[in-house]
Amino acid sequence: MFEYVVNYLNPMIMASICSRGVFSRSLLLYPSAFLTRRNGALFCTMQSSGAQTVTKGETSKTPMEALPRKQTKVHEGMLKDYEAVIGIETHVQLSTLTKAFCSCPYMYGSQPNSTICPVCMGLPGTLPVLNSKVIEFAVKVGLALNCELSLNSKFDRKQYFYPDLPKGYQISQFDIPIARNGFVDLDLPIEFGGGHRRFGITRVHMEEDAGKLLHSENGTGSQVDFNRAGVPLLEIVSEPDIRSGLEAAEYAAEIQRLVRYLGISNGNMQEGSLRCDVNVSVRPIGQLEFGTKVEIKNMNSFSAMHRAIDFEISRQAVLHNEGQVDEIVQETRLWDEGAQRTITMRTKEGLADYRYFPEPDLPEVSLTREYIDKISASLPELPEMKRRRYEKMGLSMQDVLFLANDVNVCNFFDAAVEKGADIKMAANWIMGDIAAYLKNERFCINEIKLTPEELAELISSIKNGIISGKIGKEILLELVAKGGTVKAIIEEKDLVQITDPVEIEKMVEKVIAENPKQLKQYREGKTKLQGFFAGQVMKASKGKANPVLLNKILLEKLNANS
Amino acid sequence: MAVANAALAMVGGIGVTMLQRQRNQLYSFMAKNPLGHALVRPRRDFSARSSSSLLPPDVPRLAETARIALTPDEVEEFAPKIGQIIDWFGQLQAIDLQNVDPALRADAESNNLREDFPETFDNREALLAAVPTYEKPYIKVPKVLNKD
């Protein structure tokens, strides 16, 4: 299915990417990068289910183990002589209410074999009828990935026998996918040196999912749950443009962002709503033909993808380097998270004969220009547009990537800015105190009581000197947890900043009068005691004194001739 | 049910090949079949193959891909029958398609769609009762680790 296209990369860039891959195992680069992502992840939820708040947060529990010593020792210079060619097939489970070809509801986590019917169970005499949402979602993704859409496409049967496939074939699209020839743009994280990338999209096609097969440990047999059988999927196939584990992980993260922005899938890797099969081959720099490709499965986080692919690249490069190219065979390998390595799952590939033929039970899929235009006009601002817009607003790339990572965070930020919040201050509050709160409480930004309007109000209150930044922080924490308005809290707790010099002067004089011993020491040269006095005055003002004024007046008084 | 579908796959592929020139390499046993060359004058490119010599269908391989166990006697018996079906489809080659655009699908209707509105199938009991090895809540199957 997956066809490679010859693609060269500047050897200099390649070398730097490769060596980065090796260095990153020395624990220097991973933690920061993936921590950043994880923070962002805590914001996310989609409408369809509430369980995915933990999405990438889960990965934080996985220790970032160093790779086996043999891999770490791989000579950096050796990797420079090779380049990796990576293509990714991504399966995205659509968040429709019903399955692709029958009206069975689908809910992740339902009682096994409860959402089934004769159609998805493949009983004789049943006929599939396509869910209109599947086409709508496919068109959305096709447009978002800058693809050409097929005005007429069709479904085909892909025949194979496996216990999770009730009909003995999967309804898929073969030679005429609904969308093809697109691309996706993304920005690499700053922690990894940053940079912009564009990866080609070969095709996007619609198909149905299989059931879930559970292999019991002791077992004489396996168990099947057919709830998932017939659930709609989009398969997104990338061009072999990707060159490193990092790029692959970022590509997958961008697909996740895209489907979440579009609201067509929850994109949750742990639940299997976003599954990536990665094809990796390695060849000496300058060689035209691709090396033997190996498929890697079983990576359920972006950081696992990153590590699995870099491991596989090293493994293949070592075999090249030791003259054992023959040992690289076309096979499927599994990522073993515990051992931090890939292991053979099955060989003997490339011979699969699926005997595709057009699905006779379904009519062709026709799209009209009007339909496409209507959907095109309804598309939300997509991650790439969002990032470029934030960049133009003057935010740093670090801020841009953080905010744009999660569509809910974007919406919150955009709404606050629309209400007049200072751009940089809004970004800082969201990335700082709000993010910390969300992380601690394991909340999504949509679940907190603080509204974007009140964040804007809070920021302008600080900017206009009505409250101090310190008080602002206290108000924020209260708003986040309990709700309410900035104005009401300021009034209720009498938190308005004291900016009246006369009032501050009175407090300063009182504190000085109450601490004659410290005043004497100060005047004898122990000027550090200014901090003590400032603290006392601030305490007396219940934190409300304007700190600049306070210090100015305090200095005057302390240094006044006695 | 799987067997019935597989059999359909064996036969279904044949009819479709006639309509769909770009996929004909998939039906390898078809490609070698000179569909009644006496009957047909090649008009389209895919018809050109009809002039090669007829190879009998590889029944053991077909049976294997369809997961059907056949005895040698049955193989003997089926080979000419499958040949007959192929010949029957071969008659389609006689149709003059000179002025007909290639069709994606044979049917005229398109987009028979359904709203995304969930309905629970009521008689799940019966559905599960028909499963020979149902061990609540799962359907038990022999252990299979390799797919091909």
Side-chain angles (χ1 to χ4, degrees), chain A residues 96-100 102-103 111-114 116-118 121-123 129-133 135 152 154 157 159-163 167 169 174-176 214-216 220-224 226 346 348 353 355-360 362-366, chain B residues 1-3 5-6 8-10 12-13 16 20 22-23 26-28 61-62 64-67 103-105 107 109-121 124 127-128 131 134-148:
Chain A
T96 51
L97 298 174
T98 68
K99 295 187 179 182
C102 62
S103 298
Q111 174 76 7
N113 294 304
S114 65
I116 53 173
C117 78
M121 288 293 274
L123 296 198
V129 183
L130 180 61
N131 182 345
S132 54
K133 277 274 177 215
I135 298 183
N152 295 295
K154 65 180 170 75
R157 287 188 182 180
Q159 332 272 333
Y160 65 90
F161 289 96
Y162 208 59
K167 299 190 292 295
Y169 60 85
F174 182 48
D175 52 331
I176 311 177
L214 299 111
H215 302 286
S216 53
T220 47
S222 300
Q223 300 170 312
V224 200
F226 283 116
R346 57 171 186 256
K348 196 188 95 173
D353 176 3
R355 289 156 288 134
Y356 281 98
F357 69 84
E359 166 59 82
L362 287 164
E364 70 181 67
V365 177
S366 306
Chain B
M1 58 190 154
V3 167
N5 284 323
L8 178 58
M10 287 170 66
V16 162
Q20 261 240 280
Q22 62 266 64
R23 290 272 61 86
L26 290 167
Y27 309 103
S28 51
R61 197 191 87 84
L62 286 175
E64 195 195 323
T65 53
R67 301 295 193 276
L104 267 192
R105 300 297 321 275
D107 50 51
E109 72 170 327
S110 74
N111 286 15
N112 173 28
L113 301 175
R114 174 174 66 74
E115 290 300 307
D116 186 27
F117 182 79
E119 279 171 60
T120 304
F121 176 67
R124 268 177 297 142
L127 206 56
L128 292 169
V131 175
Y134 178 60
E135 284 181 9
K136 204 174 179 188
Y138 294 104
I139 291 166
K140 204 177 160 193
V141 295
K143 198 161 199 159
V144 186
L145 290 169
N146 223 336
K147 167 161 38 176
D148 70 324

Side-chain angles (χ1 to χ4, degrees), chain A residues 416 419-422 425-426 429 452-468 486-487 490 497:
Chain A
K419 294 284 170 190
D422 175 271
M425 283 174 87
W429 281 104
E453 291 81 356
E454 290 309 312
L455 178 63
E457 181 68 30
L458 183 74
I459 289 170
S460 70
S461 298
I462 296 166
K463 241 185 142 180
N464 298 333
I466 297 169
I467 51 171
S468 65
V486 176
K487 280 202 176 101
I490 291 175
Q497 182 162 249

Side-chain angles (χ1 to χ4, degrees), chain A residues 19-31 192 306 310:
Chain A
S19 59
R20 198 159 60 203
V22 172
F23 273 131
S24 56
R25 293 195 192 97
S26 64
L27 292 174
L28 252 174
L29 292 169
Y30 276 115
F192 290 95
H306 186 159
D310 281 345

Side-chain angles (χ1 to χ4, degrees), chain B residues 7-147:
Chain B
L8 178 58
M10 287 170 66
V11 178
I14 297 165
V16 162
T17 312
M18 303 300 116
L19 299 168
Q20 261 240 280
R21 60 180 141 178
Q22 62 266 64
R23 290 272 61 86
N24 40 32
Q25 74 276 10
L26 290 167
Y27 309 103
S28 51
F29 75 97
M30 281 297 305
K32 292 167 196 148
N33 168 40
L35 297 157
H37 49 248
L39 296 170
V40 192
R41 257 228 295 272
R43 289 205 168 83
R44 295 184 147 196
D45 57 348
F46 60 81
S47 313
R49 278 172 290 104
S50 331
S51 55
S52 64
S53 66
L54 174 62
L55 287 175
D58 183 350
V59 179
R61 197 191 87 84
L62 286 175
E64 195 195 323
T65 53
R67 301 295 193 276
I68 298 171
L70 295 182
T71 63
D73 286 348
E74 286 169 323
V75 171
E76 285 282 293
E77 188 192 334
F78 284 153
K81 286 183 178 168
I82 293 171
Q84 276 173 7
I85 296 170
I86 293 168
D87 285 344
W88 185 82
F89 277 104
Q91 295 175 33
L92 292 171
Q93 295 286 57
I95 301 166
D96 184 353
L97 297 174
Q98 201 68 58
N99 300 310
V100 181
D101 286 334
L104 267 192
R105 300 297 321 275
D107 50 51
E109 72 170 327
S110 74
N111 286 15
N112 173 28
L113 301 175
R114 174 174 66 74
E115 290 300 307
D116 186 27
F117 182 79
E119 279 171 60
T120 304
F121 176 67
D122 288 331
N123 204 358
R124 268 177 297 142
E125 271 12 15
L127 206 56
L128 292 169
V131 175
T133 50
Y134 178 60
E135 284 181 9
K136 204 174 179 188
Y138 294 104
I139 291 166
K140 204 177 160 193
V141 295
K143 198 161 199 159
V144 186
L145 290 169
N146 223 336
K147 167 161 38 176

Side-chain angles (χ1 to χ4, degrees), chain A residues 138-409:
Chain A
V139 169
K140 280 186 175 173
V141 168
L143 290 170
L145 290 171
N146 310 290
C147 289
E148 299 159 16
L149 293 170
S150 306
L151 291 179
N152 295 295
S153 67
K154 65 180 170 75
F155 285 100
D156 301 274
R157 287 188 182 180
K158 179 180 179 178
Q159 332 272 333
Y160 65 90
F161 289 96
Y162 208 59
D164 61 10
L165 193 70
K167 299 190 292 295
Y169 60 85
Q170 177 193 30
I171 302 178
S172 181
Q173 293 196 290
F174 182 48
D175 52 331
I176 311 177
I178 192 158
R180 55 190 139 187
N181 299 334
F183 60 85
V184 63
D185 286 310
L186 55 87
D187 293 283
L188 299 179
I190 310 296
E191 305 88 272
F192 290 95
H196 189 262
R197 293 284 187 280
R198 171 170 292 185
F199 299 124
I201 299 293
T202 312
R203 56 184 279 154
V204 178
H205 73 249
M206 305 178 278
E207 62 184 26
E208 59 176 341
D209 210 342
K212 201 175 228 164
L213 198 58
L214 299 111
H215 302 286
S216 53
E217 287 299 316
N218 52 355
T220 47
S222 300
Q223 300 170 312
V224 200
D225 171 9
F226 283 116
N227 283 347
R228 206 179 62 181
V231 168
L233 302 176
L234 290 182
E235 180 174 322
I236 301 169
V237 182
S238 85
E239 289 286 298
D241 294 347
I242 300 163
R243 292 289 174 273
S244 68
L246 169 69
E247 289 186 357
E250 288 305 319
Y251 166 83
E254 185 68 10
I255 297 290
Q256 184 188 58
R257 275 189 285 273
L258 197 83
V259 300
R260 286 179 171 172
Y261 271 59
L262 290 170
I264 61 128
S265 169
N266 67 33
N268 188 322
M269 281 181 121
Q270 273 77 32
E271 285 179 10
S273 310
L274 185 88
R275 310 194 282 266
C276 294
D277 298 339
V278 180
N279 288 290
V280 181
S281 68
V282 166
R283 63 180 170 192
I285 298 268
Q287 180 182 303
L288 281 172
E289 313 84 67
F290 291 123
T292 305
K293 75 172 175 192
V294 169
E295 186 176 349
I296 315 175
K297 284 182 188 281
N298 201 35
M299 298 156 292
N300 63 3
S301 70
F302 299 126
S303 80
M305 265 181 92
H306 186 159
R307 283 171 285 138
I309 293 166
D310 281 345
F311 174 91
E312 184 59 26
I313 293 170
S314 301
R315 189 187 71 89
Q316 293 184 28
V318 168
L319 290 172
H320 269 279
N321 204 45
E322 291 171 353
Q324 294 175 299
V325 184
D326 295 349
E327 303 217 351
I328 304 172
V329 292
Q330 189 164 336
E331 62 175 338
T332 300
R333 295 177 73 87
L334 287 183
W335 172 243
D336 182 341
E337 184 71 44
Q340 293 286 298
R341 52 180 295 120
T342 61
I343 50 171
T344 297
M345 177 174 120
R346 57 171 186 256
T347 50
K348 196 188 95 173
E349 291 213 0
L351 294 166
D353 176 3
Y354 293 119
R355 289 156 288 134
Y356 281 98
F357 69 84
E359 166 59 82
D361 291 343
L362 287 164
E364 70 181 67
V365 177
S366 306
L367 306 175
T368 61
R369 269 282 145 218
E370 292 110 299
Y371 179 78
I372 296 170
D373 291 344
K374 210 177 95 198
I375 291 183
S376 181
S378 77
L379 289 183
E381 188 180 31
L382 296 168
E384 175 68 5
M385 307 181 214
K386 192 80 92 181
R387 288 190 295 262
R388 300 286 79 86
R389 182 165 66 81
Y390 286 173
E391 221 179 359
K392 285 203 190 96
M393 284 164 71
L395 290 170
S396 73
M397 189 46 93
Q398 191 92 32
D399 297 358
V400 169
L401 294 183
F402 184 97
L403 295 171
N405 184 49
D406 186 303
V407 66
N408 295 319
V409 173

